[in-house]
Amino acid sequence: MSYKPSSLYNLIQVINKGLFLPHIQRPFVWEEEQMLKLFDSLMRNYPIQTLLFWKTKDEIKARKFMEEVEWDPDLSDYYEPNISKAGCEKTFVLDGQQRLQTLYATFAGAIKGPDGERLEAYFDASSGAALSDDGLLYTLKFSKVALPRPWYRVADLVGKDAQRVAEELSEEMNDSLDEADDALPAEKQPTSQEQKARQKRVRRNFGQLVSLLREDKHFWIQELDGVANNYTYGTVLDIFVRVNSGGTKLDASDLMFAAMKEGWDEIEEAIEDTTELLNSTNIGFDKTFPLKCLLVVHGRGAEASAEKFTGADGTKLLADMKANWDRAEAAFQELRDFLKTDLKVYAEKVVRSHNSFIPLFDYLYFNPKPTERSRALMRGYYYKAQLFGWYSQGTDKVINGLHSVVGQPSPGGFPMQGVKDYFIGRGYPTELQKFHLEQTRLRFLLLNLVYVDQMGSSPFDVKYKGNEPHIDHIYPRHALSTKLGLGSAEVNTLGNYRFVGATDNIRKRAELPDSYFGRLKSYGSPIEKHLLLDEFAADTKKLVFDVATYRSFRDRRLQRIWEICGRTVNPELAAMVSGGVA
């Protein structure tokens, strides 16, 4: 096994040429917030973990990195059949996908915005003077339009500025910023000292940025050479599982427990029992989650740190937590029941942020045993949070802001309008609209919502983990394209999507819907859960394979999906229409 440094530039050059992802790797799961934190860590010169590669000539299904990051991709679009063949030498990333995909998108690619637009990375070359609300020192932003100085397009370092040195880039930036200062009214111009401090930051930032890209000291690689040595697929698979499941890691909760033990010996056991209770929903909560919940309801903010449990204030906090534990425990139990019986959340696939559940706990702590109307509004809040990415940035700040809305007795029920007003102020959408149904990254969430509503259970509540549902086309995609001449926009739509178990999907052929669903019905399978339109469930022969029937079926089914999603995600609007009061 070799252990060597590499420049980021060299890594970028081999991505999707010699460096790929094996099919056993999960999809890219980082949110934009995590991408920004990685960049900030590197700019601070913090070490990041070693990357683990495997060189092989075995026949292993190879997947490309995304040049434009999308959060719900069809992974089959990224497989490389020629690279996958036996005898073709390739290197796979066993550990480091999230980091490398982030860096590839930041320095040489982009991410996709909510409407599919290309967003490229821009760095504020003058940042580094103070922490942001998110705790970041260095500011990176993804934008669909070019940003003015002091913003610098990061991809230019491997493009038009590839041959330029840091001194030249920083001098050019500083000259531009100084000229802009000169054009300001005298009273708004920075002082000489402020200008010099900014110039120094710009020089330091370009020096670090160029160093990250070009020097062999920031990224270290361990490589299993399966070409020269006997690293079989079985051995590598065992290594992969162990690396990605991890050993005993010291996280924020461990550090907090160390500070808390003197004040409340039983706290760690209580938190572990609570975490186990919450994880009976198949969601992978860690011990930090209940600790953050407790910090919030006790008015200490969501930021998890050991310092909050030290000194006189820490002693008082622990005493309050211990005295109010029965109340907190009841709220955790209600939260677990709400997740399992109301939301029917059984898989990480349909949860974009664990932290979105903290305001629900906050509400339940102060408002136990909510009415059915409040539970409907809580469901609406949950789906809005997941669909609209309410917790994609500044998570702790969001939780703290919502505490003033939900963290108090609310006789009128769950304060949906107050929650919406908060997110409107942050520039987020707050109501589901029809166009959201056609956004690719939302299809898993929306389909799961529909199945939960119609079947009373989540399609992800499976015992065999290899059988979690896949998205399938009711009218086969290939046939619609080749035989009816329809474009992808007409074919790849929620009106034509359903869930099907992975094992069934593997066996399923591109069978036409009248034949396929007729056969399922003859076996006694409840096909109405897939079709959502009674007349087609009653008579599958009506699923005629022609353009007019397909379009009518798709559009009517999409309307039915909209009716279900609309009343679930926007329950406050339904109350207004019916004259009800939340």
Side-chain angles (χ1 to χ4, degrees):
M1 180 189 297
S2 62
Y3 185 74
K4 60 184 179 182
S6 173
S7 70
L8 179 56
Y9 180 83
N10 287 338
L11 288 170
I12 289 173
Q13 294 306 303
V14 295
I15 284 177
N16 294 342
K17 298 181 179 69
L19 186 63
F20 297 89
L21 297 166
H23 69 286
I24 53 177
Q25 280 278 19
R26 61 180 177 170
F28 183 71
V29 297
W30 274 13
E31 293 285 352
E32 186 176 332
E33 182 179 19
Q34 292 165 287
M35 300 174 74
L36 301 183
K37 283 183 178 179
L38 176 65
F39 182 83
D40 182 70
S41 295
L42 289 168
M43 288 301 296
R44 296 193 198 199
N45 215 25
Y46 288 177
I48 64 171
Q49 294 170 314
T50 303
L51 305 168
L52 180 61
F53 293 174
W54 172 40
K55 184 190 293 184
T56 183
K57 289 185 178 181
D58 290 355
E59 183 176 0
I60 306 292
K61 205 170 186 180
R63 192 174 86 231
K64 295 188 295 183
F65 285 81
M66 294 180 285
E67 193 272 331
E68 286 188 19
V69 167
E70 51 182 322
W71 277 267
D72 186 20
D74 185 344
L75 295 184
S76 63
D77 293 340
Y78 294 92
Y79 285 118
E80 284 282 25
N82 290 331
I83 299 296
S84 305
K85 293 177 180 177
C88 178
E89 184 175 306
K90 55 265 184 184
T91 301
F92 287 122
V93 177
L94 297 183
D95 187 37
Q97 176 197 179
Q98 309 298 319
R99 286 165 284 159
L100 279 176
Q101 178 64 81
T102 293
L103 293 168
Y104 185 49
T106 301
F107 283 82
I111 67 174
K112 282 192 175 180
D115 297 321
E117 67 272 30
R118 179 182 175 88
L119 308 180
E120 295 187 321
Y122 286 82
F123 171 52
D124 180 356
S126 67
S127 62
L131 290 174
S132 69
D133 291 339
D134 298 330
L136 304 180
L137 193 58
Y138 297 95
T139 308
L140 187 75
K141 181 186 292 186
F142 288 95
S143 173
K144 66 179 178 181
V145 296
L147 298 178
R149 296 186 184 278
W151 296 96
Y152 176 77
R153 181 175 177 266
V154 180
D156 285 343
L157 273 181
V158 295
K160 70 181 186 67
D161 294 335
Q163 302 303 316
R164 303 177 73 185
V165 296
E167 290 80 3
E168 184 180 357
L169 294 170
S170 59
E171 183 178 352
E172 182 180 277
M173 177 65 75
N174 278 325
D175 287 346
S176 176
L177 295 177
D178 293 346
E179 289 176 8
D181 289 343
D182 293 339
L184 294 173
E187 65 274 11
K188 292 187 177 181
Q189 291 184 4
T191 65
S192 175
Q193 186 176 4
E194 289 171 338
Q195 194 175 63
K196 287 181 179 179
R198 184 187 65 201
Q199 291 170 347
K200 184 177 180 180
R201 290 197 305 274
V202 169
R203 288 193 294 270
R204 185 267 171 200
N205 288 343
F206 273 107
Q208 179 68 0
L209 205 58
V210 169
S211 174
L212 286 173
L213 185 68
R214 300 175 186 171
E215 295 186 23
D216 293 339
K217 67 177 185 179
H218 300 283
F219 303 92
W220 287 82
I221 300 166
Q222 281 183 292
E223 185 174 84
L224 309 174
D225 191 343
V227 175
N229 301 297
N230 186 30
Y231 282 105
T232 66
Y233 180 67
T235 301
V236 169
L237 184 59
D238 186 46
I239 293 171
F240 175 82
V241 170
R242 294 187 184 203
V243 165
N244 286 276
S245 62
T248 302
K249 297 181 180 179
L250 196 63
D251 60 19
S253 64
D254 295 308
L255 297 174
M256 284 189 285
F257 285 133
M260 296 161 69
K261 281 299 184 67
E262 290 186 10
W264 185 8
D265 287 341
E266 299 84 8
I267 178 64
E268 186 166 11
E269 183 179 353
I271 292 298
E272 287 177 346
D273 289 345
T274 298
T275 306
E276 185 177 350
L277 170 77
L278 294 171
N279 285 343
S280 65
T281 59
N282 287 346
I283 303 176
F285 292 104
D286 60 28
K287 292 181 293 185
T288 305
F289 175 83
L291 282 174
K292 288 168 76 76
C293 288
L294 293 172
L295 287 169
V296 169
V297 297
H298 285 90
R300 300 307 201 278
E303 298 81 5
S305 67
E307 289 77 10
K308 291 186 178 182
F309 296 95
T310 58
D313 190 57
T315 301
K316 184 179 185 306
L317 172 59
L318 279 170
D320 290 344
M321 288 170 56
K322 186 174 183 179
N324 295 317
W325 176 248
D326 288 347
R327 180 179 175 185
E329 186 176 32
F332 280 125
Q333 290 170 348
E334 283 200 75
L335 176 61
R336 179 266 182 197
D337 291 346
F338 181 76
L339 297 180
K340 195 156 189 173
T341 62
D342 289 74
L343 296 179
K344 297 178 172 61
V345 178
Y346 286 95
E348 296 282 358
K349 182 75 175 179
V350 291
V351 178
R352 294 172 67 183
S353 170
H354 290 177
N355 286 321
S356 63
F357 296 122
I358 294 178
L360 289 176
F361 173 83
D362 200 3
Y363 176 74
L364 291 169
Y365 185 85
F366 292 97
N367 300 273
K369 300 179 180 177
T371 65
E372 175 53 40
R373 178 61 191 154
S374 284
R375 291 201 301 273
L377 292 171
M378 291 163 67
R379 285 194 295 272
Y381 153 82
Y382 163 76
Y383 282 115
K384 291 175 192 289
Q386 307 308 314
L387 292 167
F388 303 141
W390 282 356
Y391 292 84
S392 59
Q393 293 188 28
T395 302
D396 289 343
K397 182 180 179 181
V398 170
I399 295 168
N400 295 341
L402 285 180
H403 176 61
S404 63
V405 179
V406 300
Q408 57 188 318
S410 182
F414 185 79
M416 178 68 89
Q417 190 56 52
V419 171
K420 289 170 63 174
D421 289 343
Y422 175 81
F423 284 106
I424 289 171
R426 288 179 63 84
Y428 285 95
T430 60
E431 293 171 5
L432 186 72
Q433 299 184 51
K434 278 192 174 181
F435 72 84
H436 289 124
L437 270 59
E438 295 298 347
Q439 292 186 356
T440 302
R441 66 184 299 186
L442 303 182
R443 58 186 182 174
F444 264 95
L445 297 172
L446 292 169
L447 277 178
N448 183 69
L449 185 161
V450 170
Y451 276 71
V452 167
D453 181 89
Q454 294 295 289
M455 300 302 294
S457 63
S458 170
F460 291 89
D461 184 18
V462 294
K463 296 300 182 185
Y464 173 49
K465 296 307 176 186
N467 196 36
E468 290 193 347
H470 289 181
I471 285 182
D472 179 53
H473 293 74
I474 292 176
Y475 274 72
R477 174 173 55 180
H478 184 70
L480 287 173
S481 174
T482 58
K483 295 182 180 180
L484 298 186
L486 298 181
S488 59
E490 286 213 70
V491 174
N492 299 321
T493 168
L494 203 61
N496 192 34
Y497 286 148
R498 66 159 184 149
F499 275 140
V500 60
T503 52
D504 290 334
N505 195 33
I506 292 170
R507 292 192 294 262
K508 179 178 176 287
R509 305 284 182 177
E511 192 173 351
L512 295 183
D514 61 335
S515 170
Y516 177 75
F517 287 102
R519 183 160 50 79
L520 287 187
K521 188 176 181 180
S522 70
Y523 297 157
S525 178
I527 63 172
E528 61 274 6
K529 72 178 181 181
H530 298 298
L531 300 180
L532 298 179
L533 296 170
D534 292 341
E535 68 175 277
F536 294 101
D539 184 1
T540 58
K541 291 182 179 179
K542 290 185 177 181
L543 292 165
V544 179
F545 187 71
D546 60 39
V547 172
T549 304
Y550 167 69
R551 285 175 173 164
S552 174
F553 168 81
R554 175 199 66 196
D555 294 345
R556 289 169 57 199
R557 186 171 180 271
L558 187 63
Q559 177 60 29
R560 176 66 179 137
I561 291 173
W562 162 246
E563 292 167 1
I564 295 168
C565 293
R567 63 174 157 77
T568 303
V569 181
N570 303 326
E572 71 282 7
L573 300 185
M576 291 170 60
V577 171
S578 63
V581 179

